[in-house]
Amino acid sequence: AMNIGRSLAVLMKCGTDSVSLFSVSPAAERLRHILGEDDNTPTPTIFTEMDTLQNEGGEIEWKESARWVKFEEKVEEGGERWSKPHVSTLTLHSLFELRTCLQTGSILLDLEGYSLPQIVDEIVDRQIADGLIPPDLKEKISFVLLRKHRHQTKKPIHRSLADIGKSSSAASSEFVRQAQSRSMNDISDTPSTDQLKNKFMKKIPRDAEASNVLVGEVDFLDKPFVSFVRLAQATTLGGLTEVPVPTRFLFILLGPQGKTKSYNEIGRAIATLMVDDLFSDVAYKARDREDLIAGVDEFLDEVIVLPPGEWDPKIRIEPPKKVPSAEMRHLGQMNGSAGGAAGGEDTEFPAPHELGEELKFTGRFAGGLWLDIKRKAPWICSDIYDGFHIQSISAVVFIYLGCITNAITFGGLLGDATDNYQGVMESFLGTALAGTVFCAFSGQPLIILSSTGPILIFEKLLYEFSKSNGIDYMELRLWIGIHSCLQCFLLVVTDASYIIKYMTRFTEEGFSSLISFIFISDAIKKMDTYHKITPPDYITSYKCECISTITIRHTSVKDAVGETYKTNFLSYLLKLTLYMDWSQLSKKECVNYGGTLVGNSCKYVPDLALMSFILFFGTYSMTVSLKKFKFSRYFPTTLRKLISDFAIFMSIMSFVGLDMLMGLDTPKLIVPTEVKPTRPDRGWLVMPFGKNPWWWYVASFVPALLVTILIFMDQQISAVIVNRKENKLKKGCGYHLDLFWVGVLMAACSFMGLPWYVAATVISIAHIDSLKMESESSAPGEQPQFLGVREQRLTGIMVFVLTGLSVFLAPVLQYIPMPVLYGVFLYMGVASLSGIQFWERIKLYLMPPKHQPDFSFLRHVPLRRVHLFTLVQIVCLAVLWILKSTFLAIIFPVMILGLMVVRKLLDLMFSQHDLAWLDDILPDKDKKTKEDDKKKKRNKKAAEPESDEEPNSSVPPPVKIPMEAIESHTEPVPVHVNPPAQNQTSDCEYTDPFLHLLLCQIVVSCVNV
Amino acid sequence: AMNIGRSLAVLMKCGTDSVSLFSVSPAAERLRHILGEDDNTPTPTIFTEMDTLQNEGGEIEWKESARWVKFEEKVEEGGERWSKPHVSTLTLHSLFELRTCLQTGSILLDLEGYSLPQIVDEIVDRQIADGLIPPDLKEKISFVLLRKHRHQTKKPIHRSLADIGKSSSAASSEFVRQAQSRSMNDISDTPSTDQLKNKFMKKIPRDAEASNVLVGEVDFLDKPFVSFVRLAQATTLGGLTEVPVPTRFLFILLGPQGKTKSYNEIGRAIATLMVDDLFSDVAYKARDREDLIAGVDEFLDEVIVLPPGEWDPKIRIEPPKKVPSAEMRHLGQMNGSAGGAAGGEDTEFPAPHELGEELKFTGRFAGGLWLDIKRKAPWICSDIYDGFHIQSISAVVFIYLGCITNAITFGGLLGDATDNYQGVMESFLGTALAGTVFCAFSGQPLIILSSTGPILIFEKLLYEFSKSNGIDYMELRLWIGIHSCLQCFLLVVTDASYIIKYMTRFTEEGFSSLISFIFISDAIKKMDTYHKITPPDYITSYKCECISTITIRHTSVKDAVGETYKTNFLSYLLKLTLYMDWSQLSKKECVNYGGTLVGNSCKYVPDLALMSFILFFGTYSMTVSLKKFKFSRYFPTTLRKLISDFAIFMSIMSFVGLDMLMGLDTPKLIVPTEVKPTRPDRGWLVMPFGKNPWWWYVASFVPALLVTILIFMDQQISAVIVNRKENKLKKGCGYHLDLFWVGVLMAACSFMGLPWYVAATVISIAHIDSLKMESESSAPGEQPQFLGVREQRLTGIMVFVLTGLSVFLAPVLQYIPMPVLYGVFLYMGVASLSGIQFWERIKLYLMPPKHQPDFSFLRHVPLRRVHLFTLVQIVCLAVLWILKSTFLAIIFPVMILGLMVVRKLLDLMFSQHDLAWLDDILPDKDKKTKEDDKKKKRNKKAAEPESDEEPNSSVPPPVKIPMEAIESHTEPVPVHVNPPAQNQTSDCEYTDPFLHLLLCQIVVSCVNV
């Protein structure tokens, strides 16, 4: 008797040939041959459906029990539903049994098949020809194989009702007709409407081909009937598959009774194999049975094994976020480096920090600018049409609200600082102008320009200086702007932005968290300025009475009334005014009737402080919750995504609604409604000559230098953060082009007396975040991947055009309470903090090591080094924060240079290895490391088997034992105490050109101040 | 050349014997022999440590690289830390290689070993004797094996500093000495202080023995040196293991250079095997090499396989919540039902609903009560001393605050309803008395007694009735109490509580969610009663002036001043009073000086509404967050547990603090400070005779009947919820005893004129929740298990004693604002809702099927049936809610009976299969199902191989093909259209005795009303 299986134990015990696992196995060699020889045409994706034979109420049919696109989905028998996609956990057993099946069953490769009956005929004939089954079983087997297929999409309740409707007699007569016909076929050749209507189709790639697995037990067989078929052409075989996908593979397993469970497991095993990238390649290209078996063996060689005592097999494993790509595995296959996959080490060094060729020093005049233009030019059209997407609307609303809040805040502050030479109106117009121009022409249109703190402080100091020295502020400012613009041009043409590549994560994080903290503290500070709560005990001291001002003109009015008795209405009105109870009037009425509010509590607004708090905190927390809603289980994915995208808009709307409902007099957003300069004595154009002595035109070069450094650092560091590799930007950036336009706008704004603008980190990050794209998950269970950012100029331009038009939107905008907008500010600040590694590292302080998340840097750097690095960052940040709070805020961007110096000094404290994980290696160090690597590689013996591995991998050197010492028993053994590793790698080159440059710049800027 | 490995492909191709997998394999048979023959002494737990050979700076040493208690912890090389415990993912490769190692290496079982050098000697000698290594390698191998072991606990930085301190010469001379000595041994025999200090020891069970795995590559071997040693006695081998655990097993693998990675994988494989429950048994009991290999084979047979394309081997799999127990696996082993573990089906029917023997109908007089007393008696002592635990304190505080809030709320309402015949004071005393007695003597001391809504409504109606009919309320009430008490006794002695077992999840859920909703809506309603916010526009109408009342007695006082000029101080005071600016005084000062507050806004308190909202919502959300804090990553586990346990206390404290800080006049908790009846004309004792006509003493029997039903249902349904199987109560319960004491207290309270008390569902659930125990996680990575509830009488008694003493705690309690307490109420309501399956099912409405969690009932019941069931529950709840809001609230407990009727009717709508998953099967149905099972079992053929499986498992019947039809090609085939399954199982027995009983009771109770 032939059994389908073969005991594992027997299988294992046999064969004692000594073949090293590290040489390429015959299976791998075979596969390399068939996979390598081909013209590398990509094989189609395979959709696998497994149907099992069911006997329900005497009716035999094939019922879908599971399907695979990439992961397994099972039909929950009782629940009549699809399970969640999960990783197929198999037993080793079933795989071995499958292997035996393929060894003993009939394998039909490249069968010419056009319909299922014909194919079934061929299969059964082959089995008979091979002597595997007696010829008299042919009809029985054909009959079973041609039964109807019931798929999970069909609602069983409908079907059974329909069946009952047909009446049993009709059904039986039909059955007879079928039974009499030669084909005995329940299956039609054309796809049914059920198939075509199946929505699941869109989850399957267009090029997909189906593989059908049919397993079942019958009572007429005493040994299993196994067949693996590959059709020459993928053919639609009627209702065989639940979706109208042509079938390429067929696996049939019919066996004697009593082992359904094990047949199902074998079916699951082949189905899992068929959707495996590597095995499906093998299946497409196999020349014979041996190739297929080699494919199974290679699969077995790669499987990951979970020990039975540490894992409950009932747990359905959710699909992982990422699976090794087929290419990587292919490569592994080709190189014969089988095994060793599980528990594999990550590489010792992280992927190096790349800033791309944008920051190369060209050495030519305006070489960088030219490259920038060349890089951005091809995207001109797509920069516009990529903007047409629903997501853009939410981004525009979000950023617009951020921008006008910013414009109003900074406008107000600037107005205070400069006696309204630059007020809210100027701030709005300037933001609109600068933003539109920048977004339309810059190298990185995702950057949002805005007023920033350092500029504000500079203006304040400048205004005080000019006022006390009797110099015309606007004219002086214009000249500083002109000089600064020219200096920017100088930096552009000399490719000076290349210095930015010395900015590592350390500097970036320091800068962006500082900016975020400023955002958060500003938002909270603003809230704090609202009216305080007074204990209710002092209510007695509150008084606000309405006093009729007309009483002053009492008698005169009375006379007037007597005289002008003709105008009845007026008299009535006057009477009313005179004799009505003024104390009963409300505040508004009182003012309307011309009364005066007298009392110390007229300005006090009860409930206001708490209401503001509720609006502020409510907006913030609702935004956070709605943003998180994307990851909840409720509602379909698209709806959740929409809610998440419009989270800020919805929160603002809700709390504006709440505010209107409560009717409290919360401070509202007030935008100017008329286009005119805030200060009546200035025009829209500043004349360059006439008001100040001529030498000021030259002397303004010096303060301009400071402004230039300020602008350069602020602009470029924000650009670096926006252009981070994590954001997966595809259209490239343009540091030089950006700076060019900032310079141009500098001059333009100076001429018009508008504030100066520079990239705003937090809002730019918010802009990017609101434009992030994710892949639609294709196969069920596959995680959506972050694809990149919707890079275009449209949202930016829209935001700033809207800002310009805000003057006309005033009637709508006046309903928005300021606390709501500060809530948005708070959200922006907190959101830009999250995802910063620095922040994650701070959290580590509070976690016991065993609860810490599995960050890759924690695997490679000792915790105390990580903590030390974080501490340095915290100290730097604290120092910056303190400096920022003093008048030194003006040299804020210079402090960023200071951060870079600190980073440079960190090379002395930390090994390059640690820094590579926690930060990035500085460019020159990086080069050195690479050179070291090369040297190491050269030194390696060519014969070394693992030469393909990472050069810095943690393979320790083999233990060399000083045998002489042991053998002679007398000679002293030299013990080599190597110096600690970090001393070896970190080198203290104080002559470093970069450090020199930095120090020079600092000295220069200090002299300038 | 002998290689350690053998190619998988070669291994698979060989041997073509046909051995069915379904017969027991030789390996399994062998294992059954060795595992079955023994006296079943439990084998010790094994701690495995894997050390690898390192050559750092010329110094050779063994370095710990991973350890296993149950799950794997790896040393992160760079991070110098332990990884998180994770499931060991192995390669099939390494397992096969290990198998080869065990086949070719030397196996030393029950070696007499007392020190490492001696053991190493034995191992090497054996290898030489077996001809596996040439004798000249002995010293080299011994030298390597006796090198020092460095464990992860030692801080490498200290070590290296210490090494440098020693100076190289000293070190080398020491080395020479060692090298000269015969032992060449770096290892001491006694445990080092490092070992003893290791805190990891407490994670290892006391009886543990160690297994040491040593792998490494050396340059003098050209084939691997493999040895597996089992010592006759577990022996502490010095610094071999990081903890002072005696070593029992040793696995040594030394091999030629270049394959470190593969050696490590083999080491991990044997280590994983050693901690496997089954293999470690085999390892302890193995008689020879073949037994060990059989163990490996059985392990392989059980492993779970993940396909390489669907899983990233780099992911460290977190330990699952539950792993199959060793016993279960043992059993599987014994029965030879190998394989088929992965993707295993769960059983078709869930575990049946068990109410235990507490509700059996004894048929004897007071039989149930007697059993209850017998059951509870042995726990008397432990009921007290189990209460001494820190957790009890937080439970007491939590429940105490809940109780006094309840007492005050219901006290106030009762006072309103009965013209203060029963007020807050009575409520406090009654709660204290009833609660203390019940907690001290009842069957289930975890139940908290409290006033409930239905009782309140009854009292209200009763008072109105007596007032309008001129009957003395207190006397009537006393007689109702006496009758009701007697009726309760009647119910107790007749074991009437057994009716409760007809209460299924459906009824329980309906009841407890209704009570929760009432809690939540009460909390929110209470908040709503606070002062509304008035728009600030009307501030002009607010006025509150202080007017000196002394001005009335103006002249007389002035005269008096003149006369009594001697008393200077008084005169000064009077002067001050007369001439001071009264309008400048605060409210409190005004009242203190005897002034009068005049004005319409004196009662208005600004900011109060919003402050109350903030306190209410803040307390609630802070409690929720702190409760969740247990699952965060921050701080050590014990601290987090403490925070979570004291969440409510901390939230209350924080918001009391905030309230004090703001100084607003929020409504505070005011408890009576003097022990006297609220109404002065009543005493502490009610006389039974004298005030009402005699026939009232008899007639009060009728209303008493309603009260009895009310109490019976309210009490017993809460008891069922408390005694739920999920709570894992160990000390049993006592429905009859509970009811007995409720009856006694009923009479006692009536005599003292105190309110009546009955079990309060929500507070009782909160009580249980605050006393839940979890196991300390033993092995790293193992999930803590819910162990049960701290069942004792102490917390309950403490709560009620404190309630009684609250009269004296008034000075402290007066700082607690009521909104904070309503926040606690809200939390209680919401918390008792969570975890109810009904609630989970409601959420399903909002989730698309693919995002629904993997509830077991969803796997077995079609979604539309689940939704239908939920809908029925929602409708029932809505009806109950509407009824509750009318005067019908008094028959509220009767409505629970109505729920039970609805549940009975559901038998007609749903199949028993569906109900078994969504609800529980009613007792008589349950019996029937079991009988059916038995019948089915009897009908099953004895020869069936899978007879041990669940009788209702989803194995479909084998497909029987009516072969005659095919063979004859002429006869019509009969198609059996079976009636739908649900009609088969649900039977419409309207003569059901239970239904009859229910209907009778309803009729009786209606007549009574």
Side-chain angles (χ1 to χ4, degrees), chain A residues 599-613:
Chain A
N600 54 355
S601 68
C602 287
K603 265 186 146 179
Y604 167 81
V605 192
D607 294 321
L608 195 69
L610 293 175
M611 189 66 203
S612 300
F613 172 78

Side-chain angles (χ1 to χ4, degrees), chain B residues 853-868:
Chain B
D854 192 11
F855 293 130
S856 60
F857 61 83
L858 281 181
R859 288 197 188 185
H860 295 92
V861 184
L863 189 59
R864 64 206 138 75
R865 306 299 290 172
V866 175
H867 279 343
L868 184 63

Side-chain angles (χ1 to χ4, degrees), chain A residues 426-457:
Chain A
E426 284 77 15
S427 182
F428 264 79
L429 281 190
T431 306
L433 172 75
T436 314
V437 170
F438 189 84
C439 284
F441 303 111
S442 72
Q444 184 46 273
L446 294 174
I447 290 173
I448 298 291
L449 294 195
S450 162
S451 298
T452 59
I455 299 270
L456 174 67
I457 289 157

Side-chain angles (χ1 to χ4, degrees), chain A residues 168 295 485 517 592 693 845 897 960:
Chain A
S168 61
C485 167
F517 285 145
N592 284 349
Y845 278 115
L897 284 177
K960 280 201 190 286

Side-chain angles (χ1 to χ4, degrees), chain A residues 1-15 96-97 99-101 103-104, chain B residues 10-23 26:
Chain A
M2 261 186 78
N3 287 302
I4 57 148
R6 170 174 312 129
S7 160
L8 177 68
V10 170
L11 203 130
M12 304 279 306
K13 232 180 285 164
C14 62
F96 282 135
E97 286 179 287
R99 193 175 182 279
T100 318
C101 285
Q103 274 177 329
T104 56
Chain B
V10 168
L11 203 127
M12 306 280 305
K13 232 179 284 166
C14 62
T16 43
D17 336 47
S18 299
V19 177
S20 166
L21 265 169
F22 300 100
S23 66

Side-chain angles (χ1 to χ4, degrees), chain A residues 460-681:
Chain A
K460 195 172 172 179
L461 293 176
L462 189 69
Y463 183 73
E464 280 166 10
F465 173 80
S466 8
K467 214 164 81 175
S468 59
N469 291 287
I471 301 159
D472 185 74
Y473 164 67
M474 296 301 273
E475 200 183 288
L476 175 61
R477 194 174 166 280
L478 168 60
W479 277 100
I480 292 174
I482 292 170
H483 277 295
S484 195
C485 167
L486 293 177
Q487 285 161 7
C488 282
F489 288 168
L490 193 70
L491 290 175
V492 169
V493 296
T494 55
D495 288 357
S497 300
Y498 87 101
I499 196 184
I500 292 300
K501 70 179 166 186
Y502 286 91
M503 205 129 63
T504 58
R505 199 208 300 259
F506 177 83
T507 328
E508 269 178 51
E509 284 182 349
F511 180 78
S512 62
S513 18
L514 191 63
I515 299 280
S516 300
F517 285 145
I518 292 172
F519 241 72
I520 293 169
S521 89
D522 277 358
I524 293 170
K525 245 188 244 161
K526 276 276 162 188
M527 285 305 303
D528 205 40
T529 57
Y530 293 136
H531 305 264
K532 300 266 191 277
I533 299 161
T534 327
D537 197 31
Y538 295 97
I539 189 132
T540 42
S541 59
Y542 298 166
K543 203 181 275 176
C544 182
E545 282 175 297
C546 185
I547 293 163
S548 167
T549 39
I550 306 173
T551 47
I552 303 159
R553 292 170 287 150
H554 201 235
T555 46
S556 64
V557 169
K558 240 178 186 169
D559 296 348
V561 173
E563 281 163 28
T564 59
Y565 224 78
K566 295 157 207 164
T567 49
N568 273 326
F569 177 69
L570 189 70
S571 79
Y572 170 74
L573 206 73
L574 276 169
K575 233 183 202 161
L576 206 73
T577 318
L578 281 172
Y579 302 108
M580 71 185 178
D581 188 357
W582 284 83
S583 68
Q584 294 302 314
L585 292 182
S586 80
K587 251 164 122 181
K588 257 187 204 152
E589 286 168 341
C590 185
V591 174
N592 284 349
Y593 285 118
T596 312
L597 291 163
V598 174
N600 54 355
S601 68
C602 287
K603 265 186 146 179
Y604 167 81
V605 192
D607 294 321
L608 195 69
L610 293 175
M611 189 66 203
S612 300
F613 172 78
I614 290 172
L615 290 178
F616 171 69
F617 206 72
T619 309
Y620 168 73
S621 38
M622 184 169 169
T623 309
V624 170
S625 324
L626 286 183
K627 277 276 168 196
K628 270 190 206 157
F629 190 71
K630 193 159 72 176
F631 306 107
S632 87
R633 294 166 174 277
Y634 303 101
F635 304 120
T637 319
T638 42
L639 184 61
R640 275 182 318 195
K641 225 172 153 254
L642 207 69
I643 290 173
S644 166
D645 281 350
F646 283 87
I648 288 158
F649 185 69
M650 285 163 71
S651 315
I652 290 174
M653 280 299 146
S654 312
F655 282 90
V656 167
L658 179 73
D659 182 66
M660 286 167 76
L661 206 75
M662 301 296 267
L664 284 178
D665 200 14
T666 43
K668 298 289 195 298
L669 179 72
I670 293 155
V671 291
T673 48
E674 240 183 304
V675 186
K676 62 174 186 191
T678 313
R679 200 181 158 105
D681 62 350

